[in-house]
Amino acid sequence: MKDTIKPPASSDAYRLVWRDVARQSSARRVIATIIPPGVVTGNSLNVLIPKRMSYELLLAVLGVFNSVIFEAQVRASISTNHLSVGAIRRIRVPDLSSRTNVERVSKLVEKQLRKPSELYLAQIDVEVAQWYGLPSETYLDLLT
């Protein structure tokens, strides 16, 4: 960037960003990741700028955003091809103060970010389902 253009202050922090995929026929409506400090994004990404949130909790929230349960809630709450921030705000998330769950999910997400694998994705999804308190039968119904 030119020296005359100042990046926003929010670019100094880790942020969770997500892209809404327009078609309901897509396997996923939400795809999220974490971007590091110093990266500036365009307006096609939605951004969660954490205030007083540890990096560990941000990793756990990323696991929730990319979970089957979060996806199912998104699909149930919108009827158009646009996923607004308001719709995201209405999605139920598990208890973020649960130290044990935050630790479990964040460790798996960190592994997934370092060395992506289907195994880590599946483990994250199961941990998130348990964090939500979803009965096994309901979780299996969501998968099918």
Side-chain angles (χ1 to χ4, degrees), residues 28 33 36 48 52 61 85 98 103 110 120:
R28 291 294 219 172
T33 194
L48 181 138
R52 297 177 302 275
V61 170
V85 172
S98 172
E103 193 174 296
E110 192 170 43
Y120 291 143

Side-chain angles (χ1 to χ4, degrees), residues 13-17 33-41 45 47 55 58:
Y14 283 97
R15 288 146 292 150
L16 186 139
V17 296
T33 194
I34 293 175
I35 55 174
V39 173
V40 178
T41 66
L45 294 176
V47 182
Y55 185 67
L58 188 62

Side-chain angles (χ1 to χ4, degrees), residues 2 4 8 31 39 55 71 82 87 103 114 120:
K2 295 179 182 178
T4 57
I31 299 170
V39 173
Y55 185 67
E71 179 72 26
H82 177 66
E103 193 174 296
R114 269 191 271 118
Y120 291 143

Side-chain angles (χ1 to χ4, degrees), residues 1-54:
M1 292 176 55
K2 295 179 182 178
D3 290 339
T4 57
I5 300 173
K6 296 282 187 201
S10 61
S11 67
D12 292 338
Y14 283 97
R15 288 146 292 150
L16 186 139
V17 296
W18 69 93
R19 177 82 174 122
D20 59 323
V21 180
R23 292 171 299 286
Q24 288 188 346
S25 61
S26 298
R28 291 294 219 172
R29 294 298 305 264
V30 177
I31 299 170
T33 194
I34 293 175
I35 55 174
V39 173
V40 178
T41 66
N43 65 358
S44 64
L45 294 176
N46 296 286
V47 182
L48 181 138
I49 303 167
K51 293 182 180 179
R52 297 177 302 275
M53 181 184 286
S54 69

Side-chain angles (χ1 to χ4, degrees), residues 95-113:
D95 178 8
L96 299 179
S97 67
S98 172
R99 190 77 216 121
T100 303
N101 289 309
V102 167
E103 193 174 296
R104 285 181 183 158
V105 172
S106 67
K107 284 180 181 179
L108 288 167
V109 169
E110 192 170 43
K111 288 178 183 179
Q112 175 66 10
L113 290 173

